[in-house]
Amino acid sequence: MRIGIFGGTFDPIHVGHLAAAVNAQYGAKLDKVLMVVANIPWQKEGMRKVYPAKERLALVEAAVQDVSGLEASDLEIKRGGKSYTIDTVTQIKSLYPNDELFLIIGADVAAELDSWEMVEDIAKLVILIIVNRPGSTRPQNLREIWNYLEVEVPALDISSTDLRARAIDGRPLDFLIPYRAIRYIREHRMYRSEE
Ligand code: ATP
Ligand code: MG
């Protein structure tokens, strides 16, 4: 199997994530894509309040419910603590020792790879899939440790940061977040204040 790993804080998940995931799946002929919800995103720690991982997972589950090939993964939540990609990739490799792993990232994240823990080890375990993202150009000189491919996805200028601000102001979230996830946000009164 060819397995995609798409990690994120998903605070909240939005159609930019979903369009990237399904187009990466199609473009790289992946059998499935695991949407891995970060437990504690160490890069974002201390910068702002991140919603509880269980709630972010529930949003991802709601969003992928009807999408074949996309699966919500609670691997990092079950593991607990800070979420490091090396641990996740190692764990998925031990679950699927004979399968090919692909790590899907947006261009903004591609520019930050060198700040990751144990990148050389990650690079031995996965093929990167870099998707374009409005506002970010992918680094011109990606280190030679990486095997990578680029997949073109529709340019959707959508971010969780903007969606949180919209939710606080009461601006519409419709069509930017799948409706089942919007329903969960409303029912659980999420994203109503900035903390
Ligand atoms: P935040 O604004 O809180 O950082 P985000 O929208 O960037 O949220 P993340 O959970 O940080 O979402 O991103 C997870 C992954 O999805 C990253 O690899 C990121 O590059 C990618 N991604 C997010 N939004 C888009 C988009 N609109 N198009 C393509 N890739 C995206
Ligand atoms: Mg981000």
Side-chain angles (χ1 to χ4, degrees):
M1 278 205 298
R2 293 162 68 86
I3 299 173
I5 303 168
F6 192 20
T9 310
F10 302 120
D11 192 18
I13 189 164
H14 54 69
V15 299
H17 296 129
L18 294 159
V22 297
N23 283 284
Q25 181 189 18
Y26 175 83
K29 299 187 169 56
L30 307 177
D31 296 288
K32 63 176 170 181
V33 176
L34 305 174
M35 310 287 287
V36 184
V37 178
N39 187 52
I40 300 174
W42 56 270
Q43 306 97 320
K44 288 175 181 164
E45 240 195 334
M47 311 273 284
R48 63 172 177 85
K49 180 195 165 212
V50 172
Y51 255 79
K54 285 261 164 61
E55 299 215 84
R56 291 182 282 108
L57 174 69
L59 294 179
V60 174
E61 283 170 344
V64 302
Q65 198 174 305
D66 293 330
V67 188
S68 73
L70 302 196
E71 281 177 27
S73 167
D74 63 359
L75 202 102
E76 293 185 348
I77 299 174
K78 285 222 171 100
R79 197 168 69 230
K82 295 184 192 180
S83 303
Y84 292 102
T85 303
I86 181 62
D87 299 333
T88 303
V89 166
T90 305
Q91 209 172 335
I92 294 174
K93 190 70 199 172
S94 68
L95 292 171
Y96 302 96
N98 302 316
D99 297 314
E100 247 182 312
L101 303 184
F102 295 78
L103 186 66
I104 304 164
I105 56 172
D108 57 318
V109 171
E112 295 169 354
L113 283 172
D114 285 334
S115 71
W116 286 15
E117 297 288 325
M118 304 176 78
V119 266
E120 282 91 357
D121 299 281
I122 300 173
K124 286 180 194 138
L125 294 167
V126 301
I127 297 172
L128 272 189
I129 298 178
I130 303 176
V131 299
N132 49 293
R133 181 172 190 184
S136 306
T137 44
R138 79 151 183 91
Q140 290 309 300
N141 43 0
L142 205 66
R143 283 172 66 192
E144 63 293 339
I145 56 171
W146 295 106
N147 261 322
Y148 73 95
L149 51 125
E150 287 175 75
V151 172
E152 192 68 26
V153 305
L156 296 170
D157 194 358
I158 301 172
S159 70
S160 302
T161 301
D162 176 58
L163 289 163
R164 291 190 300 273
R166 288 180 153 270
I168 289 164
D169 299 351
R171 282 178 286 156
L173 304 177
D174 307 80
F175 311 111
L176 301 175
I177 298 178
Y179 77 92
R180 282 202 179 85
I182 293 183
R183 202 161 63 194
Y184 187 97
I185 288 172
R186 301 241 160 88
E187 282 171 7
H188 294 257
R189 303 172 69 83
M190 293 174 75
Y191 303 114
R192 292 167 66 98
S193 68
E194 200 167 15
E195 276 172 32

